[in-house]
Amino acid sequence: MKLTVVGCSGSFPSAESACSSYLVEADGFRLLLDMGNGALGELQRHCGLYDLDAIFLSHLHADHCIDMLAYFVARYYRHDGGRADPIPVYGPEGTEQRLTTAYGDTLAASSMSEVFDFHTVKPGTFEIGPITAHTELVRHPVEAYAIRLEHGGRSLVYSGDTGVSEALNELARDADLLLCEAAFTYGKENIPDLHLNGREAGETAARAGARRLVLTHIPPWTDPQVNLLDARAVYPGPVDLAAPRASYEI
Ligand SMILES: [Zn+2]
Ligand SMILES: [Zn+2]
């Protein structure tokens, strides 16, 4: 698998990065994890507008899904006059309704489904093209999922947004790469079941025995170097800060 960071800013975009969005490629199949603010523009650096094969939305906070509205426009009103064929969109209960409502009342209730084939995510295992996906509920104020992707004997785990989560520890067991949120600063913000800090992300990777840790979803008001040092203090493996356009072969 190849992981490319499309956007990694937490909660709102920064001057340098769009919000959460990650492109995963395997055997020519392209899966996008989340599509936060600004992601659609950045995505076009990495593939054509209509080259995605599937989309997974970890949860329905705007910084993870709001560019689906812009992407709907691109698929529904193609400049050649046709509609783009529906691609699978995996998301929590109510994803289609939420996106339709956010778009506004000019849209017929069924329009989204003309270009997106919505599937409701539950905890479990399913196939996304050539990739096997395992999902688990994590700790966040809304229904939110972490996902483990397996292909060719390798594994990538994405935390989505979560506080400290036993389910994430298990899901990330022996992962080749753990892409983990670290929105908070250790010793500063401490709100349960919302976000991890750098230290907690490092502890998650250490407990799981993950082989590599990439910290993401750091908001513009948080110092990423502090979170990086906090993670390195508790996790002995390689730790990176996610950056737009960075890519990893897994
Ligand atoms: Zn978020
Ligand atoms: Zn969130």
Side-chain angles (χ1 to χ4, degrees):
M1 285 180 284
K2 181 183 179 190
L3 165 69
T4 302
V5 178
V6 177
C8 57
S9 189
S11 303
F12 56 95
S14 70
E16 287 78 32
S17 179
C19 284
S20 289
S21 193
Y22 312 93
L23 181 63
V24 178
E25 296 168 271
D27 281 349
F29 188 91
R30 293 188 180 90
L31 165 65
L32 193 71
L33 304 176
D34 285 341
M35 205 183 221
N37 321 54
L40 184 63
E42 283 293 316
L43 178 67
Q44 292 169 75
R45 295 181 189 273
H46 306 293
C47 70
L49 264 183
Y50 306 110
D51 291 344
L52 291 182
D53 296 297
I55 298 168
F56 170 83
L57 302 175
S58 64
H59 65 299
L60 297 179
H61 279 156
D63 59 320
H64 297 257
C65 71
I66 205 66
D67 263 27
M68 287 291 289
L69 303 187
Y71 195 41
F72 165 77
V73 172
R75 295 188 73 85
Y76 195 83
Y77 302 103
R78 277 182 72 134
H79 71 282
D80 62 8
R83 306 258 191 262
D85 290 336
I87 56 167
V89 174
Y90 300 87
E93 185 83 47
T95 295
E96 179 178 4
Q97 185 184 15
R98 175 71 70 82
L99 295 177
T100 302
T101 302
Y103 191 90
D105 58 10
T106 56
L107 195 64
S110 62
S111 299
M112 286 268 173
S113 61
E114 290 187 45
V115 293
F116 297 129
D117 179 18
F118 290 98
H119 298 263
T120 300
V121 172
K122 297 287 177 196
T125 300
F126 52 99
E127 305 298 323
I128 306 178
I131 299 168
T132 300
H134 306 270
T135 48
E136 285 290 352
L137 279 167
V138 287
R139 296 185 171 274
H140 205 51
V142 298
E143 182 180 350
Y145 290 92
I147 188 166
R148 179 185 181 106
L149 303 173
E150 295 180 346
H151 179 267
R154 310 306 295 265
S155 54
L156 158 66
V157 174
Y158 169 48
S159 66
D161 282 7
T162 184
V164 173
S165 163
E166 187 59 37
L168 179 59
N169 293 342
E170 285 306 313
L171 196 70
R173 182 73 53 205
D174 299 326
D176 291 295
L177 190 150
L178 171 59
L179 177 63
C180 191
E181 76 119 292
F184 283 167
T185 304
Y186 174 58
K188 192 169 161 195
E189 297 124 322
N190 184 17
I191 304 168
D193 298 338
L194 186 57
H195 290 299
L196 297 169
N197 58 46
R199 185 182 178 93
E200 290 165 337
E203 288 171 345
T204 299
R207 280 194 205 103
R211 293 183 183 85
R212 177 167 207 159
L213 173 62
V214 178
L215 301 177
T216 192
H217 198 282
I218 299 177
W221 54 43
T222 295
D223 183 346
Q225 295 302 326
V226 171
N227 287 12
L228 182 63
L229 291 174
D230 287 345
R232 283 182 172 156
V234 294
Y235 172 67
V239 188
D240 288 338
L241 292 170
R245 302 190 281 285
S247 68
Y248 299 86
E249 294 289 345
I250 300 165

